[in-house]
Amino acid sequence: VEKTAEVVIIGGGGAGLAAAESAYENGAKSVILLEKAATLGGNTIRAGGAYNAVNPEKQKAQGIEDSIEKHIQQTYEGGHKVGNMELIKVLCNNAYDGVTWLEGLGLQWQDKIGSVVGSMWQRSNQTVAPLGTGYIETLSKAATAKGCEILLDTKANELIIENGRVVGVKAEGPDSILTVKAEKGVIMATGGYAANPEMVRQYLSDGVYTKDNLPADVVSTNAPGIVGDGIKMGEAIGAQLIDMQHIQLLPMPSDRFGPSINVEHSFFINKEGKRFVKEDGARDEICLATFEQKDGQYFMINDSKIIPENRKTLSGEDLNNLIEKGLVVEANSLDELAEKIGVPADALKKTTETFNSYVASKSDADFGRKVWGEKIDKAPFYATLRFPALHHTMGGLKINTKTEVLDKNDQPIPGLYAAGEVTGGIHGANRLGGNAIADIIVFGRIAGATVMGK
Ligand code: ADP
């Protein structure tokens, strides 16, 4: 079977769908999107959903001081000064415009700005819809309404090159082999490879995680199809890869977000009932510290102040359901909580008391935490067991600020664009929590514009 469109997009996660909508907004008449899974969404739909962007109005209402410059600096420094400053500037300068763009397409935002774990600052915008579902629903609805043809169960295998230009894709659908021709270009949006532990290990060298410190039994938060297809397809036609040794572990597998994915109103304890890290630290900092604790695990402790009347968690999940599944433990006192999770009650009570004194003085004599919420003192109390899981791969196809994929001489490969986790260079050696959603929206939009010559 042969098909043709102006724009062909590989991957139906947040980046691919943002690119599809953007291509139409920039004049495309026909877009075909190939998604190898049976449903859209990829890692985006299972993400916590936090979107980092300086949001002047909402942050002002909460008394949060912030600036785009600060977002740029924290992204660069949080990434251990490895990321490409030009790409970081594009990310941070355009993040808020992405927030309003999505709102214009019908996405609803929560009122409060938070600080998702590893974000390093209170600038995480959060959708009303649970997890990442709001992004996928909003964008797929918008793009489909404009005519985007979405082919599910259709796996792209190979880019077609003619006279040095990418002109299409070879793919296999549920019952046919497909050749999909792209008149203007192909946008690679296949995500990373954190569901492919062999590929992760193959590239590990001198990053935060190495072949030595990565636990052999590490699990992944990713959708099963996030195995590096796009990186391999790009590499096969001469694309340059960057930062492939840098991976991110999330200190919580996706089924263990618990009552809150934010840093405020929570602290972390090890199985001795003691704090061991600053909760507002970078994700790699928390994960490396967790490796040193008993069983390589910790508990996030919350109280009922953050539980709304409808018992929805911050990521929009049903708390009762999480408690029933045993993923969150609820107790009427700290003594009862300690008993239920098997940590010494005296230690937990003492840690809580000390922590609450730090909340009052907004200073942490033990670990130097800076982001504060309220005291944790209102029963019932909650504990969520967490541990590091393979989450994000920072490396991938090297792009420029227009999302053109570069070859080994840093020259754009005509007809090939990339956006989202398949690309490398933005997040350096450690991605800030909440920067991935900003990345897929900002660069997905740019890819849709660039492919249309805008
Ligand atoms: P991003 O956040 O960068 O958008 P996601 O993980 O959300 O990344 O989405 C990537 C999508 O690409 C997933 O839905 C995944 O199933 C899809 N995908 C990966 N490899 C292929 C492939 N070879 N052909 C088609 N779709 C693919």
Side-chain angles (χ1 to χ4, degrees), residues 195-222:
N196 184 347
E198 291 79 38
M199 187 166 169
V200 166
R201 279 181 197 283
Q202 175 195 337
Y203 286 101
L204 284 182
S205 61
D206 59 351
V208 172
Y209 300 102
T210 63
K211 291 188 166 87
D212 294 328
N213 71 5
L214 188 70
D217 58 354
V218 67
V219 297
S220 172
T221 63
N222 280 205

Side-chain angles (χ1 to χ4, degrees), residues 10-15 34-37 41-44 154-156 189-191 225-226 229 233 420-421 440:
I10 310 178
L34 314 177
E35 167 54 58
K36 76 174 173 182
N43 276 353
T44 303
T154 303
K155 177 172 180 282
T190 47
I226 308 305
D229 291 357
M233 280 185 266
E421 199 180 345
I440 59 179

Side-chain angles (χ1 to χ4, degrees), residues 334-347:
L334 286 173
D335 278 303
E336 187 190 329
L337 190 69
E339 195 193 319
K340 280 188 167 170
I341 62 175
V343 310
D346 287 347

Side-chain angles (χ1 to χ4, degrees), residues 368-406:
R369 167 174 168 152
K370 292 202 177 64
V371 173
W372 300 102
E374 292 182 65
K375 287 187 184 174
I376 304 224
D377 55 7
K378 184 164 177 251
F381 297 97
Y382 299 89
T384 310
L385 182 72
R386 288 175 164 185
F387 46 89
L390 286 174
H391 184 56
H392 188 96
T393 46
M394 267 78 72
L397 302 177
K398 186 171 180 187
I399 54 167
N400 61 18
T401 54
K402 294 195 290 189
T403 73
E404 293 168 318
V405 175
L406 304 179

